[in-house]
Amino acid sequence: MSRRRVLTGSGAAALAAGTASVGPLLWVPPASAAVRPGGVHLMYGKNPKHRMAVSWSTPAGVRRPRLELGLDRTYGLTVPAESRSTKDLGTVYHHVDLRRLRPGTRYHYRLSHKGASPVTGTFRTAPKVQRPFRFAAFGDMGVNAAAAAHVALIRRMRPKFAFVVGDLCYADTSGGTGVGGPQTQDFRVWDQWLNQIQPSAGHVPWMTTVGNHEMEEGNGELGYSGYLDRFQLPGNGVKGAPVTYSFVHGNVGFIALDGNDASYEISRNLDYLGSAQDQWLRRELAEMRSDPEIDFIVVGFHNCMYCTNLVHGSDGGNRSRWEPIFDRYSVDLVVNGHNHCYERTHPLRDGAPVIEAPRGAVIDSTRGTTYLTAGGAGQAVYPTGGRPISYVSIEGGVRVPETTEWSALTNEVHSVAFLDAVPRNKRGVAKLKLTALSTDGKVIDRLTLKRRR
Ligand SMILES: [Fe+2]
Ligand SMILES: [Fe+2]
C-alpha cells in the first residue's frame, strides 16, 4: 500500500473530525518539549470499520500535539490533536478522532508534539466481512497489582477490544455518595491508570462506560467532566449523554448505557435522562434486532441487575427500567460490574430462570437473557457471597431480601471475562462463547450462547 493511497485512496483517507465539545477549556500551552506522550488509549467511533479515536496525555501543555498515521512507519498523514485540560491537574489530554479509515486494516500511528520524542503504536479497524472475534468484558479495575496482571492477561488473550463497565480508576473513592468530601479525590490516579492500561489500550480499543466512581464530586453537574476530558467517545448515544453509545462489531451489537441514571442504590444521577435513555435503548435494540447482520446483542453498564454479592446486591432501579426492554428485544448478554466478584445468572425472563445453565452449558439464547457480573478486574474482591438469599435495592435505597434461584455460578476471585463471537455456520447457528479467567489464567466459568436465524 503506497503512502499516496493512505492519503487519497477511495475511502482510505483518514480525516480528523472536529471533536465534540464536552467541556474542553481553551488551552494556551507554555513551551515544554521535555514531556513525553503517555496514557495512550483507543476507542472505536460509532462505526468501528471506519473510525478510531486515539487519546493520550502530557503532564503539561505542549505545542502542536499531533498524530501521524499511515499503513507503515513512513506514516504520511499528520492530524493535529484537540487538547483538553482538566480539574486540579496539570495534565493535558489530547484527542484525535480518525474517520474514513479502511476496514480490517492495520494502521501505524506516531504521537508527538514540538520537541518531544514520539510514541508509536498500531491499531486495527474492524473487518468488513464477518469473522470470529474475541472481546474482553470487565469492570472495577483500579490501580493495583491485580489490575496490572489483568492488563497483561488481556494482551495475551488478544481480544479485538475491551468492553469496560465502569469504576475505572477510583480517583474519587467516594463513589458518587458524596461522603468524605474533597479528601476522597486524587485525580493523579487517572494518569496512573491510563499508563497502567496503555500496553493494551494503546493497541486495541477500550470501550468504557461510567460507574458510580466516575461521578466525581465538584467535577461538573453529573460529576462526569473528568471522564469526558479523558475519553473521546463515539457520541451516538442519548442526546445530552455522551457517556452512552452503541456500535456493531461483526455479528454483535453493543450498547453502553449510563447505569447511574437508573440506580436506586446510589441515586446521585438518578433519572437525569430517565425516559430519554429508555427510548433511545428501545430504538437501538429495535434497529439491531432488524439488522440481518447482527446475531447477538450485548448491553453494558455498571450497576448489577442480578448479583447475590452482599456488598451491593442487585439494583431494583436498573431492573424496573430495563428488564422489560431487555426481555422484549431478547438481549443475549448484559455485562455489569460494581460488585467486585464474578457471577453469572441462568438465562432469565421476567426475573425468573427459564433454563438451567451450569458451568459449561450450551444454551439457546433466544430463551432468556444472561446477566454477568464481571467486577473482579482489580479492586479488592468482595468475599461475601449471598446465595441463596440476597437483596435488591428498591426506591429510596431500601434493601429488600430476596431468594436468588436465578444465580447460576459465583466466584470471589479476581477475574476477567472473554467472549468469542462466532458467525453463523451453514445451518445458520451463531455462537457467543464466554470464558471467564482468574488472574493466573485458570478457567472459572464457561458458557455458550447459541442463536439461529
Ligand atoms: Fe467498584
Ligand atoms: Fe461501583
Side-chain angles (χ1 to χ4, degrees), residues 174-209:
S174 75
T177 64
V179 176
Q183 58 269 39
T184 64
Q185 296 181 333
D186 181 355
F187 295 132
R188 293 172 300 180
V189 173
W190 272 110
D191 293 334
Q192 294 161 14
W193 188 74
L194 290 168
N195 285 325
Q196 175 186 261
I197 70 169
Q198 181 177 328
S200 171
H203 300 277
V204 297
W206 278 42
M207 305 305 292
T208 52
T209 64

Side-chain angles (χ1 to χ4, degrees), residues 358-379:
R359 178 178 159 155
V362 178
I363 59 169
D364 175 358
S365 189
T366 63
R367 300 280 306 279
T369 300
T370 297
Y371 293 84
L372 186 68
T373 300
Q379 283 297 103

Side-chain angles (χ1 to χ4, degrees), residues 331-335 344-349 357 363 365 368-372 434 447 449:
V331 167
D332 297 277
L333 181 69
V334 173
V335 183
R344 175 176 61 73
T345 68
H346 302 294
L348 308 184
R349 279 287 177 264
I363 59 169
S365 189
T369 300
T370 297
Y371 293 84
L372 186 68
L434 162 72
L447 177 75
L449 306 180

Side-chain angles (χ1 to χ4, degrees), residues 322-342:
W322 297 334
E323 178 152 40
I325 304 176
F326 296 161
D327 282 354
R328 175 169 173 202
Y329 293 97
S330 188
V331 167
D332 297 277
L333 181 69
V334 173
V335 183
N336 299 144
H338 198 41
N339 281 297
H340 298 172
C341 61
Y342 179 87

Side-chain angles (χ1 to χ4, degrees), residues 221-239:
E221 190 184 342
L222 300 168
Y224 296 152
S225 295
Y227 174 70
L228 296 174
D229 292 336
R230 292 167 175 91
F231 290 86
Q232 182 60 43
L233 292 143
N236 62 343
V238 188
K239 197 164 180 260

Side-chain angles (χ1 to χ4, degrees), residues 140 167 212-213 302 338:
D140 307 83
D167 281 7
N212 55 304
H213 283 269
H302 184 64
H338 198 41

Side-chain angles (χ1 to χ4, degrees), residues 309-325:
N309 196 291
L310 294 173
V311 174
H312 296 298
S314 305
D315 201 311
N318 302 89
R319 277 189 196 174
S320 63
R321 287 267 297 274
W322 297 334
E323 178 152 40
I325 304 176

